[in-house]
Amino acid sequence: MLALASPALLVILLLIVLPVGWLAWQSIYHDGFTLENYRRILSEDIYWRSFALTFEISLLVTTLALLIGYPLAYAANAAPRRWSIVILALVILPFWTSVLVRSYAWLALLQRTGVINQVLQYVGLVDEPLALVHNSFGTVVATVHILLPFMVLPLYAAMQKIPNDLMQAGASLGGGPAHTFWRIFLPLSLPGVLAGTTLVFVLSLGFYITPELLGGGRTIMVSLLVSRNVELYNQWGAASAVGVVLLAGVLAVFLIVSRFIPFDRILAPK
């Protein structure tokens, strides 16, 4: 058994264990053992503000993605097969486009001379262009769009596992569509909700390109903090320490979620 698993173990060692181990080592070693990088994270306000902003934006992105993604997944699950494929294709096709391209597209749409501001001014809703980019608003809008497939697909997979017989049984006992949805469908789809929200939240925590382009240097999320430490200050130890703290936060999220619903149950076949 060990011989069969050796190639997989070697890949895990080379691609995960060694890079993470090197990251942790850099965070505590600079001409000797030091915890200075972690002391700076705990004592300097910029780190606290950056982590707080990152969690705030990630929570907002996750909430919006769930509010948009659940109806989309429900429609794809309830629609005839032909329309179900169309809905899923509309969700997945942008997923095949580069994140960089989609971020630039949102930048073109939301800028002061972009299409959205021009339309708002043309119909008379605003007199002057709105500040839709180079702030948290633009970052959230683009991030929700880019991460939406990570919400819809787990939801759709969970909904596909719900037997239609249960809904028919609920209806035969006198339950209306709304009642059977709240009492039967929604509780059974919660594993998909949990999987989708976890994926989107964790990916949002480490998002880099979109906050860099749409935030305009004013929305300093943790990923940008790592970049600034390396590019501007050449502080690899500080950047590594921020990365280790972020990684610990992600692992904590997975640990908390797994206490409610194990991921093998979420990903199990129907």
Side-chain angles (χ1 to χ4, degrees), residues 23-39 237 241:
L23 188 75
W25 174 254
Q26 281 193 129
S27 69
I28 59 172
Y29 187 85
H30 181 71
D31 295 332
F33 177 77
T34 177
L35 293 177
E36 175 63 20
N37 295 318
Y38 292 98
R39 187 198 65 76

Side-chain angles (χ1 to χ4, degrees), residues 6 33 46 53 59 72-73 85-86 97 102 109 113 118 125 145 150-151 176 191 193 195 220 230 233 241 243 259 264:
S6 294
F33 177 77
I46 186 174
L53 179 64
L59 281 174
L72 275 175
I85 293 173
V86 172
T97 308
R102 281 181 283 170
L109 287 172
T113 57
Q118 288 183 0
L125 290 178
H145 171 251
F150 292 98
M151 179 65 75
V193 173
I220 307 297
V230 173
Y233 310 116
R259 286 184 175 274
D264 56 350

Side-chain angles (χ1 to χ4, degrees), residues 22 43 53 59 72-73 103 132 164 170 206 219:
W22 179 245
S43 61
L53 179 64
L59 281 174
L72 275 175
S103 298
L132 302 178
N164 291 327
T219 307

Side-chain angles (χ1 to χ4, degrees), residues 108-223:
L109 287 172
L110 296 176
Q111 62 183 325
R112 293 179 67 84
T113 57
V115 175
I116 294 178
N117 263 321
Q118 288 183 0
V119 170
L120 291 176
Q121 287 181 285
Y122 179 78
V123 299
L125 290 178
V126 297
D127 296 326
E128 297 180 355
L130 300 176
L132 302 178
V133 288
H134 298 158
N135 51 31
S136 296
F137 177 82
T139 302
V140 169
V141 169
T143 306
V144 168
H145 171 251
I146 291 169
L147 295 183
L148 190 59
F150 292 98
M151 179 65 75
V152 173
L153 295 180
L155 281 170
Y156 179 74
M159 291 176 181
Q160 283 282 292
K161 298 175 185 175
I162 300 175
N164 291 327
D165 295 345
L166 291 178
M167 302 298 290
Q168 294 171 358
S172 67
L173 293 174
H179 186 77
T180 54
F181 174 81
W182 284 107
R183 297 297 299 273
I184 299 174
F185 193 88
L186 182 61
L188 292 176
S189 66
L190 287 182
V193 173
L194 200 57
T197 52
T198 303
L199 280 174
V200 172
F201 182 74
V202 167
L203 291 172
S204 299
L205 289 177
F207 229 44
Y208 172 69
I209 294 177
T210 304
E212 175 74 13
L213 292 177
L214 277 298
R218 300 174 183 171
T219 307
I220 307 297
M221 297 178 68
V222 172
S223 56

